[in-house]
Amino acid sequence: MPNVSRVILDSLWDEGVSAFFMVPGKMINAFMSNYRAADPAGHPRIAPVIAAAEGGAAAMADGYARASEGTGVVIALDGPGVANAVAGLVNANADRSPVTLLSGHVPRGFDAHDALQDVTPTGLDVAAMLTPVTSSALQVRSAGHPIRYWNITLRKLVECPTRPVYLSYAADVLAAETDESAISMRSLANARVQCDERELESVLETVNSSASIAVLVGSHANKRDVRQLLTRLSESHDILVGCTVDAKGAFTESHPNSVGVFGYSGNLRATELFTEQAPETVLLLGCRPTQWNTNAYDARLSRAKNVIEVTSAVEDIGNFSPGSRTLLCDELLFLRHWEESLAEEGDKGDKDAKEAKGGNGGPRFPWNAGLRERTERIPLYVPLPDEDSGAMHPGRAVEVLNKWLGDRACVADSGNHRSFATHYWKTRIDAGFYSSTTMGVMGWAFGAAIGVSFAREEPCLVITGDGCALMNGAEIQTAVRYRRNIVFAIFDNSAYGATHMNNRQNLAELSVLPDHDWVKFAESLGAEGFRVTTLEELDTVVQKIKGNGGVQVLHIAVDRDAATPARSYQENLKSFARSKSESHA
């Protein structure tokens, strides 16, 4: 009869999870000794990845969850291990990433005895601490029906919107045998947020009768099936598509119908399309109403005649563009109904009626062609200076990386470099960009890229900074240890760049960092390193390593004072702050 840890690991394997991320510890020995047990050949089914620290393991699980579109799993010793992982859970919760944190804690009978690392209500009470940042935080102190707690956790993982979960077992319960079985999360995940049929028909009538339409895609719609269907609709009906910041790459930016990113450090074309050159109808598909996604609550979003929000997240609906028309519906189901309605309307009615509505006698949305012509006159990017003024411009560095490594998934960290990556990196592959957008945890990308690489088994590029590297750069060792194919590009401006730019009145010592040799650091962890100070050097090195496997670290010296391409966002944020200040005057 299997023990509790074996049932959970088998359940995760059945759900398609191929790896979990952890730091070893005594109270989780059951997980460590059981991951091979179900395979008669002795090969692991679900395999452990040992991180340098639990915070890195949590970031890996987060990256894995985003790239696999399932759950990512971090296993940690409860108490200090889980405490180290909390920042990763906070970040995953803010970005609605379904990370599963599993742990083991003091055996039954040790509570109320001032035991070492007691996390039960008689000690630190970790479950209470994690409740605000998870959809479920449970501790199991009974072997009576331990898998019921796992089934509760699985159900929580597929609630919309998704959030992290925490489940901790007493160490002796983890090792106890059980005859209980786990439910199937895959069958639960197939449940969709159903639309009200009358509302759906009314929305589709408005959409299909529009002379022109554009779609803005958000993170709730950043799913493989949604991306494929939206691309098909865009190509069939000449529909322009943009993405919010947290969904960058949900519509491939090398596609001719892409207008890039709308929001913080977004592209000029997307900003103009959704605020100034608005089509008759703007469809907001699965958009989260965050400060960054809305370009600091840009009120101009309401300029289109019809602004329609379709989302599966009830807590978001009506907030992206206040006053818009709303429809609570699963994004994939909506697109399927939309495609079917377009096909049906194209097949029915007399010829004159069809021509009048843009059926077989003409394009469905007749003004889309003119909208495209106007939009294409707008540049996509903020122009870069022709020459660098001494130090390398970060935007130019991103362009060089994109030129040679554009076939990789890009994982962007938090800091000034993130602004340049969002704006100047053009995704060429499906779901080609990952970042932390709501909390902006520095150093997240080091672990997240490792998780992405395990989920996709594809090469990755990390764009990060020297401040981020100080926080979590040790996870380069984990990438080396597990033979990941990752290029870590460390943009070194010898500062906490965002702090330097936003707080120039502060003493320099509060934002300036000492010089570090990231090549030696990389080499000490088993990676290959290169330092570059000019665009020519960067171009030569990246071209040289682009076909290499393994872990490469680029130490890129960049201009500390280069302005980020976020002017529109900054102006909107100032305007919003003034309006709130005046309203409280």
Side-chain angles (χ1 to χ4, degrees):
M1 187 181 297
N3 66 21
V4 171
S5 65
R6 179 71 262 160
V7 172
I8 292 173
L9 291 175
D10 282 346
S11 172
L12 289 169
W13 174 261
D14 291 339
E15 300 297 341
V17 178
S18 60
F20 58 87
F21 307 92
M22 70 178 299
V23 174
K26 179 180 179 181
M27 299 301 173
I28 49 176
N29 275 342
F31 284 121
M32 295 165 59
S33 62
N34 270 283
Y35 75 93
R36 292 178 184 267
D39 192 313
H43 301 294
R45 295 173 65 189
I46 179 170
V49 176
I50 310 302
E54 289 89 355
M60 293 173 201
D62 189 2
Y64 185 98
R66 298 180 195 223
S68 68
E69 300 179 15
T71 186
V73 180
V74 53
I75 300 180
L77 168 71
D78 220 327
V82 167
N84 285 340
V86 167
L89 252 65
V90 169
N91 187 67
N93 181 69
D95 280 357
R96 298 179 178 174
S97 181
V99 170
T100 298
L101 172 58
L102 296 171
S103 68
H105 61 260
V106 294
R108 292 170 293 176
F110 278 67
D111 49 324
H113 281 71
D114 202 17
L116 176 68
Q117 298 172 346
D118 180 7
V119 299
T120 71
T122 65
L124 185 60
D125 200 359
V126 167
M129 182 175 70
L130 291 181
T131 296
V133 296
T134 60
S135 62
S136 177
L138 300 173
Q139 288 183 340
V140 185
R141 303 285 296 161
S142 168
H145 41 76
I147 302 305
R148 279 180 171 264
Y149 290 89
W150 174 237
N151 288 341
I152 291 170
T153 302
L154 286 173
R155 294 187 190 101
K156 286 291 184 179
L157 275 172
V158 296
E159 287 184 353
C160 185
T162 56
R163 299 190 189 279
V165 294
Y166 160 75
L167 180 60
S168 182
Y169 286 89
D172 55 328
V173 174
L174 267 181
E177 292 185 347
T178 180
D179 59 359
E180 292 185 305
S181 58
I183 59 173
S184 171
M185 187 171 69
R186 292 192 182 190
S187 62
L188 291 175
N190 288 330
R192 304 286 182 183
V193 177
Q194 299 292 329
C195 310
D196 179 90
E197 291 187 9
R198 287 181 296 179
E199 280 294 309
L200 174 62
E201 290 177 5
S202 179
V203 166
L204 289 176
E205 182 179 356
T206 300
V207 169
N208 291 346
S209 63
S210 302
S212 59
I213 186 170
V215 179
L216 183 61
V217 184
S219 58
H220 293 309
N222 192 6
K223 304 293 183 183
R224 187 176 297 105
D225 291 344
V226 177
R227 296 192 299 266
Q228 292 174 351
L229 181 47
L230 181 59
T231 300
R232 187 163 71 237
L233 282 165
S234 170
E235 293 172 349
S236 299
H237 301 284
D238 199 25
I239 299 171
L240 297 177
V241 180
C243 297
T244 57
V245 177
D246 62 358
K248 177 178 169 68
F251 190 84
T252 308
E253 292 167 319
S254 57
H255 194 287
N257 288 354
S258 170
V259 296
V261 168
F262 177 85
Y264 172 73
S265 299
N267 300 109
L268 300 179
R269 193 170 293 173
T271 302
E272 187 79 7
L273 173 63
F274 292 107
T275 60
E276 300 292 347
Q277 300 275 0
E280 183 177 355
T281 296
V282 168
L283 176 62
L284 305 172
L285 188 67
C287 295
R288 288 193 62 200
T290 67
Q291 180 176 314
W292 274 16
N293 286 341
T294 58
N295 202 28
Y297 318 110
D298 196 328
R300 298 172 297 169
L301 280 163
S302 61
R303 286 187 175 180
K305 178 182 177 181
N306 306 304
V307 181
I308 301 174
E309 288 188 52
V310 177
T311 182
S312 55
V314 66
E315 63 191 68
D316 290 340
I317 198 162
N319 291 328
F320 195 95
S321 179
S324 64
R325 187 172 181 180
T326 61
L327 178 67
L328 182 64
C329 185
D330 177 83
E331 292 82 10
L332 179 60
L333 279 182
F334 175 81
L335 290 184
R336 286 174 175 168
H337 284 296
W338 188 19
E339 185 177 48
E340 290 170 3
S341 70
L342 289 169
E344 289 171 1
E345 290 192 17
D347 291 336
K348 69 184 180 181
D350 58 59
K351 182 178 180 181
D352 291 340
K354 284 190 291 182
E355 289 180 357
K357 293 189 68 175
N360 291 346
R364 164 59 59 186
F365 308 105
W367 294 356
N368 275 7
L371 182 68
R372 170 188 293 280
E373 290 177 7
R374 295 196 305 273
T375 303
E376 287 180 344
R377 298 190 193 110
I378 304 162
L380 191 60
Y381 305 113
V382 172
L384 289 166
D386 293 333
E387 296 182 2
D388 289 325
S389 56
M392 192 187 321
H393 194 288
R396 291 285 186 208
V398 171
E399 288 186 329
V400 171
L401 293 170
N402 196 212
K403 172 184 174 183
W404 296 112
L405 303 177
D407 58 345
R408 291 176 174 237
C410 179
V411 185
D413 227 324
S414 295
N416 275 6
H417 52 273
R418 156 63 185 279
S419 177
F420 297 105
T422 298
H423 192 82
Y424 294 105
W425 180 271
K426 178 182 285 189
T427 59
R428 301 183 207 163
I429 62 175
D430 180 51
F433 194 87
Y434 301 92
S435 61
S436 164
T437 58
T438 312
M439 279 292 155
V441 175
M442 291 178 63
W444 170 85
F446 283 94
I450 295 171
V452 169
S453 75
F454 272 97
R456 296 180 63 136
E457 289 298 342
E458 297 174 11
C460 294
L461 165 71
V462 170
I463 294 180
T464 186
D466 50 334
C468 294
L470 286 172
M471 294 190 179
N472 284 310
E475 296 302 348
I476 291 173
Q477 182 266 352
T478 309
V480 171
R481 181 178 181 183
Y482 290 94
R483 298 180 177 86
R484 298 294 91 190
N485 188 346
I486 301 177
V487 173
F488 293 92
I490 300 175
F491 282 45
D492 186 357
N493 57 11
S494 297
Y496 291 117
T499 301
H500 167 71
M501 297 294 283
N502 294 327
N503 299 281
R504 291 180 182 272
Q505 72 274 19
N506 287 342
L507 295 174
E509 66 189 54
L510 298 177
S511 58
V512 173
L513 292 171
D515 292 330
H516 296 92
D517 190 333
W518 295 110
V519 171
K520 288 184 178 178
F521 178 77
E523 290 173 346
S524 73
L525 299 176
E528 190 173 13
F530 305 88
R531 176 178 166 84
V532 294
T533 59
T534 68
L535 285 173
E536 291 74 17
E537 290 176 347
L538 179 61
D539 188 87
T540 299
V541 169
V542 179
Q543 184 178 3
K544 173 184 174 183
I545 68 171
K546 68 182 180 69
N548 294 354
V551 179
Q552 320 281 330
V553 175
L554 302 176
H555 180 174
I556 307 173
V558 296
D559 184 2
R560 179 188 301 165
D561 294 308
T564 57
R567 182 176 177 181
S568 173
Y569 171 85
Q570 291 161 353
E571 290 174 349
N572 288 338
L573 191 58
K574 290 178 182 177
S575 177
F576 179 80
R578 282 196 302 269
S579 69
K580 293 302 177 184
S581 176
E582 291 168 0
S583 68
H584 289 92

